[in-house]
């Protein structure tokens, strides 16, 4: 038995059968495990499919609800469109109605403005007539006094006959001839404002017909204003001297001679030879190196503007204290108390490029701001502008069809002398003069290395090292001066 078993064990076929049985046993258990996993996976997939079906049903329900909401929204949108169209039509009708009302209001405002202008003209004429009546009353009183004194002669009347009628008029004229200082000042300030808002724009429009560059136009108007003030002040001083010389010999009474002279000038502003001042202003502008003008026209094209400024400046000298414009120079530090920046200015620039309108002063106090254009590099730009304008050619005499009036030819005679001390205080004059001397000194040092003059001082004709060192030295000194 044992031998039989041993033989079976040792037999190769039996051993292979045993191995196959073991393999089949393992495969059987493995297939059982896979079958269990497949059943579990199938159950999981079925649960997921059921969940997806439920979600799909809920989504379909939500979609139907959204479609219903969309339909309702479309209906609301159509209603809103209809209401908006109705409201738009109503708004357009209202806009048309408001435009018509605005046009009617504008027409009423224009008619009211014309009425106000007429009233102002009537008031001005009334004041003039009152002044003339006062002067005529004074003349009448003088004539009556002379008639009474001629009928009853006395030593006093004999002494008074040696004086001129003008002197007697001023001696015996009542204090009513003097216009109120406050009202005259307000009137002159209003005229100065009108010259800035209206007269300046009209002159600017005239100049823009011949000059395309706005900077040149504004420079010309500013220089015309400054020169008008200088010439008018000089004419006022000469006129006052003549009046004082005429009235002093026959002056009697307690009133001072200065008050009498001022009263006479106030009552006889029409004796001011404004056309001579206009000619002097145009001659001064012709030799000014800062402005260049087309040869086809003359500065006399803005003679009306210059005449108005001269009249205003002359009348401002009769105030107590007199009014004057502030001193302004290109490249100066911008002062918010004196000027306001123009709309095309660089609001971060510290220096004034050029001035548009001068500021008005009373006893070194600014009572009306001017206007200036600020720009970075204003000092160098002003120097280049002066160098370019020095070689300005003479303009020919205008033809018969020229828009400029005859009255002042553009001769290159020197401008009338100006009293700088009348505009600036002595301390300010000294400070400005010292700064100008220092600036000219350093500019001369900068140009000394080029004997041919200013025309050689350009980045093209000198080395880069010398240019940078000279410019840096000059900039440092200018910053120290400022």
């Amino acid at each position: 038995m044992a031998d039989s078993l041993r033989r079976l064990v040792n037999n190769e076929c039996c051993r292979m059968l045993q191995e196959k049985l073991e393999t089949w046993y393992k495969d059987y258990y493995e297939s059982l495990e896979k079958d269990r996993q497949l059943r579990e996976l199938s159950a999981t997939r079925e649960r997921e499919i059921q969940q997806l079906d439920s979600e799909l049903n809920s989504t379909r329900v939500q979609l139907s609800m959204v479609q219903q909401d969309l339909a309702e929204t479309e209906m609301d949108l159509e209603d809103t469109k209809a209401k908006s169209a109705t409201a738009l039509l109503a708004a357009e009708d209202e806009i048309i109605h408001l435009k018509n009302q605005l046009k009617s209001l504008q027409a009423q405002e224009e008619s009211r403005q014309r009425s106000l202008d007429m009233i102002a003209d009537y008031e001005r004429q009334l004041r003039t007539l009152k002044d003339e009546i006062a002067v005529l009353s004074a003349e009448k009183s003088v004539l009556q006094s002379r008639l009474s004194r001629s009928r009853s002669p006395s030593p006093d009347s004999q002494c008074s006959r040696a004086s001129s009628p003008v002197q007697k008029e001023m001696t015996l004229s009542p204090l009513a001839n003097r216009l109120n200082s406050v009202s005259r000042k307000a009137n002159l300030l209003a005229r100065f404002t009108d010259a800035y808002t209206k007269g300046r724009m009209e002159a600017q429009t005239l100049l823009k017909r011949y000059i395309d560059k706005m900077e040149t136009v504004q420079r010309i108007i500013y220089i015309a204003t400054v020169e008008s003030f200088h010439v008018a002040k000089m004419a006022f001083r000469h006129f006052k001297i003549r009046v004082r010389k005429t009235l002093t010999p026959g002056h009697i009474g307690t009133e001072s001679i200065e008050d009498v002279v001022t009263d006479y000038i106030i009552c006889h502003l029409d004796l001011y030879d404004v056309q001579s001042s206009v000619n002097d202003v145009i001659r001064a502008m012709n030799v000014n190196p800062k402005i260049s003008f087309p040869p086809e026209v003359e500065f006399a094209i803005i003679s009306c503007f210059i005449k108005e400024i001269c009249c205003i400046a002359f009348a401002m000298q009769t105030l107590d204290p007199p009014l004057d414009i502030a001193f302004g120079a290109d490249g100066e530090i911008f002062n918010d108390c004196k000027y306001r920046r123009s709309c095309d200015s660089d609001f971060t620039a510290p220096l004034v490029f050029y001035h548009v309108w001068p500021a008005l002063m009373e006893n070194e106090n600014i009572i009306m701001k001017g206007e200036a254009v600020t720009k970075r590099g204003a000092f160098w730009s002003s120097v280049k502008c002066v160098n370019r304008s020095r070689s300005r050619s003479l303009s020919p005499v205008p033809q018969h069809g020229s828009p400029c009036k005859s009255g002042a030819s553009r001769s290159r005679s020197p401008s009338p002398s100006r009293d700088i001390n009348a505009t600036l205080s002595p301390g300010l004059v000294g400070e400005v003069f010292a700064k100008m001397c220092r600036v000219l000194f350093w500019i001369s040092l900068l140009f000394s290395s080029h004997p041919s003059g200013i025309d050689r001082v350009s980045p093209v004709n000198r080395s880069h090292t010398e240019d940078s060192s000279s410019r840096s030295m000059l900039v440092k000194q200018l910053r120290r001066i400022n």
Side-chain angles (χ1 to χ4, degrees):
M1 187 68 181
D3 293 334
S4 298
L5 290 172
R6 191 179 295 111
R7 282 195 298 271
L8 286 173
V9 169
N10 292 329
N11 193 357
E12 185 68 24
C13 293
C14 291
R15 192 168 50 253
M16 292 176 62
L17 182 61
Q18 181 67 26
E19 291 176 357
K20 287 183 178 181
L21 289 173
E22 292 176 355
T23 302
W24 289 344
Y25 181 76
K26 292 178 181 180
D27 292 339
Y28 174 74
Y29 279 101
E30 288 178 1
S31 38
L32 286 176
E33 182 67 21
K34 289 180 180 180
D35 184 49
R36 184 182 63 79
Q37 292 178 356
L38 286 173
R39 284 195 300 271
E40 291 178 355
L41 184 61
S42 177
T44 304
R45 292 291 183 269
E46 288 180 356
R47 286 195 300 271
E48 290 179 355
I49 290 172
Q50 291 177 358
Q51 186 177 0
L52 289 175
D53 289 337
S54 63
E55 290 178 357
L56 180 60
N57 293 329
S58 63
T59 303
R60 287 175 179 172
V61 173
Q62 292 176 359
L63 180 60
S64 62
M65 294 174 64
V66 168
Q67 288 178 351
Q68 293 177 0
D69 294 338
L70 182 60
E72 294 176 357
T73 304
E74 288 180 353
M75 294 176 64
D76 294 339
L77 181 60
E78 293 295 333
D79 295 338
T80 305
K81 283 182 179 180
K83 293 179 181 179
S84 299
T86 306
L88 182 61
L89 292 175
E92 288 179 353
D93 295 337
E94 187 176 0
I95 289 172
I96 293 172
H97 180 64
L98 291 175
K99 284 183 178 179
N100 294 330
Q101 288 184 350
L102 180 60
K103 289 181 180 179
S104 62
L105 291 175
Q106 287 177 350
Q108 294 177 4
E109 182 66 24
E110 290 177 357
S111 62
R112 190 180 296 111
Q113 186 65 33
R114 287 194 296 269
S115 302
L116 291 176
D117 293 339
M118 293 175 63
I119 292 173
D121 293 337
Y122 291 153
E123 290 178 351
R124 192 179 301 109
Q125 294 176 5
L126 182 60
R127 287 195 298 268
T128 304
L129 292 175
K130 286 182 179 179
D131 297 340
E132 292 178 356
I133 291 172
V135 172
L136 293 175
S137 300
E139 291 178 355
K140 180 180 177 181
S141 62
V142 170
L143 293 175
Q144 288 178 352
S145 62
R146 289 179 61 190
L147 182 60
S148 62
R149 290 181 184 182
S150 63
R151 290 177 180 176
S152 59
S154 63
D156 294 336
S157 63
Q158 292 177 0
C159 294
S160 63
R161 287 171 187 172
S163 60
S164 63
V166 176
Q167 298 166 3
K168 292 180 182 179
E169 174 189 343
M170 290 308 303
T171 302
L172 300 175
S173 62
L175 293 178
N177 286 337
R178 182 186 299 179
L179 296 176
N180 186 272
S181 179
V182 177
S183 63
R184 289 193 298 112
K185 179 181 177 181
N187 185 22
L188 290 174
L189 291 178
R191 288 177 63 185
F192 189 74
T193 303
D194 289 340
Y196 170 70
T197 56
K198 297 180 181 179
R200 182 180 67 91
M201 299 306 295
E202 292 176 358
Q204 185 172 299
T205 303
L206 290 175
L207 292 173
K208 285 173 67 176
R209 298 178 184 175
Y210 308 96
I211 305 175
D212 296 332
K213 194 173 182 181
M214 192 64 182
E215 174 189 343
T216 306
V217 172
Q218 292 178 341
R219 283 182 181 271
I220 290 172
I221 295 175
Y222 174 77
I223 292 174
T225 305
V226 174
E227 294 293 343
S228 298
F229 264 86
H230 288 313
V231 172
K233 288 190 297 182
M234 186 68 66
F236 178 80
R237 283 192 287 270
H238 293 325
F239 186 73
K240 190 174 183 180
I241 291 172
R242 292 196 302 270
V243 173
R244 187 187 293 111
K245 187 181 297 184
T246 304
L247 299 180
T248 300
H251 173 63
I252 58 175
T254 58
E255 194 175 7
S256 64
I257 185 62
E258 292 296 330
D259 293 338
V260 174
V261 171
T262 304
D263 291 340
Y264 182 87
I265 295 176
I266 291 173
C267 295
H268 297 84
L269 289 176
D270 54 341
L271 298 179
Y272 169 46
D273 188 6
V274 64
Q275 187 59 44
S276 177
S277 296
V278 171
N279 297 338
D280 293 339
V281 171
I282 293 175
R283 281 194 292 269
M285 292 173 64
N286 288 333
V287 297
N288 195 303
K290 290 185 179 180
I291 52 178
S292 58
F293 207 64
E296 294 83 4
V297 291
E298 297 280 347
F299 284 126
I301 192 174
I302 57 172
S303 58
C304 294
F305 171 77
I306 297 174
K307 183 177 180 180
E308 176 65 15
I309 297 297
C310 287
C311 292
I312 293 173
F314 188 87
M316 282 181 176
Q317 306 310 308
T318 62
L319 298 175
D320 187 21
L323 302 182
D324 197 3
I325 57 175
F327 175 77
D330 294 346
E332 67 176 345
I333 298 178
F334 179 78
N335 188 354
D336 289 326
C337 298
K338 290 175 60 177
Y339 303 104
R340 56 178 173 270
R341 301 176 194 264
S342 60
C343 58
D344 55 346
S345 297
D346 183 358
F347 285 82
T348 61
L351 300 181
V352 174
F353 182 38
Y354 65 90
H355 298 80
V356 177
W357 192 253
L360 197 63
M361 295 196 318
E362 181 183 21
N363 284 339
E364 303 296 333
N365 297 322
I366 303 297
I367 61 175
M368 189 175 293
K369 284 187 177 183
E371 184 177 348
V373 177
T374 56
K375 182 180 178 182
R376 293 195 175 274
F379 177 78
W380 297 108
S381 299
S382 61
V383 171
K384 293 179 181 179
C385 179
V386 170
N387 292 337
R388 287 195 302 265
S389 302
R390 289 188 187 276
S391 59
R392 186 156 58 98
S393 60
L394 298 177
S395 62
V397 178
Q399 299 176 359
H400 180 70
S402 178
C404 55
K405 306 291 183 183
S406 62
S409 61
R410 297 187 59 189
S411 61
R412 291 305 185 263
S413 59
S415 60
S417 59
R418 304 171 185 170
D419 189 3
I420 303 297
N421 295 327
T423 305
L424 299 175
S425 61
L428 185 58
V429 170
E431 183 181 356
V432 172
F433 181 74
K435 287 187 178 183
M436 290 176 63
C437 290
R438 289 196 292 270
V439 170
L440 292 176
F441 172 73
W442 285 106
I443 291 178
S444 63
L445 288 181
L446 176 63
F447 296 158
S448 60
S449 59
H450 301 282
S452 59
I454 297 177
D455 295 335
R456 292 283 303 278
V457 184
S458 62
V460 178
N461 296 328
R462 59 185 176 187
S463 62
H464 177 71
T465 305
E466 184 179 0
D467 178 40
S468 59
S469 62
S470 301
R471 284 182 180 273
S472 61
M473 183 184 301
L474 182 58
V475 168
K476 288 180 181 179
Q477 292 299 327
L478 290 176
R479 287 178 180 174
R480 187 180 304 170
I481 291 171
N482 291 331

